[in-house]
Amino acid sequence: MPRVGLKLNQIIQTAADIADRQGAEAVTMAAIARELSVRPPSLFNHVKGFAQVKRELTLYGVKKLHESMQVASNGMIGDEAIFALANSYLQFTREHPGLYEFTIALPQPRDEEIDQEGNKVINLLIEALRSYQLSEENALHAVRGFRSILHGFSSLEQKGGFGMPLKKDDSLNLVIKSFLIGLKQMN
Amino acid sequence: MPRVGLKLNQIIQTAADIADRQGAEAVTMAAIARELSVRPPSLFNHVKGFAQVKRELTLYGVKKLHESMQVASNGMIGDEAIFALANSYLQFTREHPGLYEFTIALPQPRDEEIDQEGNKVINLLIEALRSYQLSEENALHAVRGFRSILHGFSSLEQKGGFGMPLKKDDSLNLVIKSFLIGLKQMN
DNA sequence: TTATTTTAACTAATGGTATTAGTTTTTGCA
DNA sequence: TGCAAAAACTAATACCATTAGTTAAAATAA
C-alpha cells in the first residue's frame, strides 16, 4: 500500500471533474475514491465527510465564478460591463455545469466564507450598475433582478428547459437589453 | 398483513408532502414507505422504481403549477395578466418548495407528457405577452426571458440566495416592470 | 543511522439506500 | 365455494457514507 499523497485540493479537483463530466449527482465519496485509486475510508483522513466535500466544492465554484467574471469585466463600465459579466457567467455555467450546481447550492446553515465570496460576485454587479444612478434601494432590487435573470437562464438552459430551436444567446441578450432599458427609466 | 390499498396517487401525494415538508432530497422510497406504514418493496407493486416516482412528481408539479397560473390569470390580458402569472408562480414555489424542485428537474431523455404540460405553462406566458405585438421570434425570446426571471428569482429565494433584508416582492416587481418597459420599446 | 512518532493508507463492520426474487395472504370474481 | 390476480410480505444483493481498529510508510528526533 504505497502512499498516494492525497491533498484536500486534489480531492476537490477530482470531485469537480466528476461533477462536470458526469453530473453533480454522480459526485460520491465512492466515485472520488475510485478516481483516485484509493479506498473510500482513506478520504476521511483528509476530509470530515461528504458534507465537507460539498461545502468545499461550493466555495471552489463561487471563487472560480467570481474570478472569471472579474477578469471578463475588468476595466469596463456600464452596459459593456454588464454584458461582459453576463457572458462570462453563462460561459462558466456551460463549461462547468456540475460545479455550477454546487455553486448555487448554499449550505444550511449559512457559511461565512462562502457568503463572503458570494458577496464579491454581487459587488461586481453593483459596480456595473453604478452608472445607472439608481437609488441605493433600487440598486439592490436591480442586482436581485439581474442575478435572477442570469441564474434562471443558466438553470433552464442546463435542465434542457428551452425546447425551441432558437439561438439561446439571442434570448439572453434580449432579456438583458430590455431589463436595462427599463432600468434607465426607473428614477 | 392487512391490505393497505395503495394507489399510485397516494404514493405521489405522500412523496410531494415529504418534499414540501422535509425537502426534495428527503424523498426516498424508504421515507414514502415509512409514511404509508408499508415496507419499501411493497411500493414496487405500484411503481416501477424511484425513477418513476420522480417522473410522476415532476408531472404532478407541472400540472399543479399550470392550474394555479391558469386560474390566477383567467380573463386578464397584458400587464395585469403578466403580474398575475408572476405572483401565482411565486406563490406556488413558496407553498410547494419541494415539489417545485421536481417541477424543474426535467427527466433525461425528454418525456412527452411532461413536455406537453410544460408547453401549457409557456402558452399562458405567450398569451399574456400577445398585447406587446412582438414579432414571433421576439415573443419566444421574451418568454424565455420571463421564465428565466421567474425561475431564477424563485430558485435564489429558496436557496437563501437573497441575503439583504429587503422586501423580496418589491424586487420581483421591479425586475418585471423594467423588463416590460424594455419590451415595449423592442419593435 | 537508528528509533520513535505521526500520518495515511488499509480491512472489517454498521446502518442506510434501491431493488429483485420468491412467498404468503387477501381480495374479487367465476 | 374455489381460484386467480393483486398486493402485501421476508430475504437477499449491491450500492452508499461512515466509524473503528490495524498496519505500513514517512517524517522527525535522538
Side-chain angles (χ1 to χ4, degrees):
Chain A
M1 43 199 90
R3 288 275 171 119
V4 176
L6 291 182
K7 295 271 166 57
L8 176 63
N9 246 340
Q10 292 177 15
I11 293 176
I12 302 306
Q13 276 292 340
T14 303
D17 283 356
I18 294 171
D20 286 339
R21 282 189 283 112
Q22 302 167 238
E25 76 293 340
V27 176
T28 63
M29 294 298 264
I32 298 170
R34 260 193 303 274
E35 193 85 10
L36 291 168
S37 305
V38 141
R39 304 297 175 134
S42 303
L43 298 176
F44 287 77
N45 285 316
H46 309 274
V47 159
K48 274 196 224 307
F50 189 45
Q52 195 198 342
V53 171
K54 290 189 279 189
R55 187 260 179 194
E56 301 294 337
L57 227 28
T58 301
L59 182 59
Y60 174 64
V62 177
K63 272 186 178 166
K64 212 163 163 175
L65 173 60
H66 169 251
E67 194 183 318
S68 302
M69 295 173 76
Q70 163 92 56
V71 169
S73 68
N74 196 18
M76 299 179 183
I77 57 168
D79 287 11
E80 193 188 24
I82 288 179
F83 281 102
L85 289 171
N87 285 330
S88 62
Y89 190 101
L90 211 69
Q91 191 182 342
F92 180 84
T93 68
R94 285 169 178 169
E95 287 175 359
H96 304 287
L99 183 55
Y100 177 64
E101 281 201 43
F102 287 97
T103 301
I104 56 167
L106 301 183
Q108 297 284 6
R110 294 194 95 73
D111 183 296
E112 178 69 32
E113 201 176 354
I114 292 174
D115 282 358
Q116 210 169 312
E117 210 62 36
N119 284 336
K120 291 188 189 170
V121 175
I122 293 177
N123 283 335
L124 286 179
L125 304 183
I126 291 180
E127 273 308 311
L129 285 171
R130 193 172 297 283
S131 53
Y132 282 80
Q133 310 269 12
L134 299 167
S135 72
E136 193 173 337
E137 190 177 326
N138 275 352
L140 291 175
H141 287 310
V143 168
R144 285 181 178 176
F146 194 36
R147 288 175 64 205
S148 296
I149 291 172
L150 292 179
H151 167 53
F153 189 89
S154 305
S155 181
L156 289 176
E157 177 180 70
Q158 270 187 39
K159 298 270 166 57
F162 295 141
M164 294 285 162
L166 201 59
K167 275 269 196 52
K168 284 178 288 194
D169 290 10
D170 291 351
S171 300
L172 182 63
N173 272 331
L174 181 133
V175 59
I176 293 178
K177 215 182 293 181
S178 304
F179 177 53
L180 291 180
I181 291 175
L183 266 192
K184 280 172 189 151
Q185 315 196 353
M186 219 66 236
N187 320 17
Chain B
M1 43 201 91
R3 289 276 170 115
V4 176
L6 291 182
K7 296 271 165 59
L8 175 64
N9 246 340
Q10 292 178 14
I11 293 176
I12 303 307
Q13 276 291 340
T14 303
D17 283 357
I18 293 171
D20 285 339
R21 281 188 284 113
Q22 302 166 238
E25 76 293 341
V27 176
T28 64
M29 295 299 264
I32 298 171
R34 261 193 302 275
E35 192 85 11
L36 291 168
S37 305
V38 140
R39 304 298 175 135
S42 304
L43 298 176
F44 287 77
N45 284 317
H46 309 273
V47 159
K48 274 196 224 309
F50 190 44
Q52 195 198 341
V53 171
K54 290 188 279 190
R55 187 262 179 194
E56 300 296 335
L57 227 29
T58 301
L59 181 59
Y60 174 64
V62 177
K63 273 187 179 167
K64 212 164 162 174
L65 173 62
H66 169 252
E67 194 183 318
S68 303
M69 295 173 74
Q70 162 93 57
V71 169
S73 68
N74 195 18
M76 300 178 182
I77 58 168
D79 287 12
E80 193 189 24
I82 289 180
F83 281 101
L85 289 171
N87 286 330
S88 61
Y89 190 102
L90 212 68
Q91 191 183 342
F92 179 84
T93 67
R94 285 169 177 168
E95 286 176 359
H96 304 287
L99 183 55
Y100 177 65
E101 281 201 42
F102 287 97
T103 301
I104 55 167
L106 301 183
Q108 298 282 7
R110 294 194 95 75
D111 182 297
E112 178 69 31
E113 201 176 354
I114 292 174
D115 282 358
Q116 210 170 314
E117 210 62 36
N119 284 337
K120 291 187 188 171
V121 174
I122 293 177
N123 283 335
L124 285 179
L125 303 182
I126 291 180
E127 272 309 311
L129 285 171
R130 194 172 296 283
S131 53
Y132 282 78
Q133 311 268 12
L134 299 166
S135 71
E136 192 172 340
E137 191 177 325
N138 276 351
L140 290 175
H141 287 311
V143 167
R144 285 181 177 176
F146 195 37
R147 288 175 65 204
S148 296
I149 291 172
L150 292 179
H151 168 51
F153 190 88
S154 306
S155 181
L156 289 175
E157 177 180 70
Q158 270 186 40
K159 296 271 166 57
F162 294 142
M164 295 285 164
L166 201 61
K167 274 272 196 50
K168 284 179 288 194
D169 290 9
D170 290 351
S171 300
L172 182 63
N173 271 330
L174 180 133
V175 60
I176 293 178
K177 214 182 295 181
S178 303
F179 178 53
L180 292 180
I181 291 174
L183 266 193
K184 279 172 189 151
Q185 314 195 354
M186 218 66 236
N187 317 22

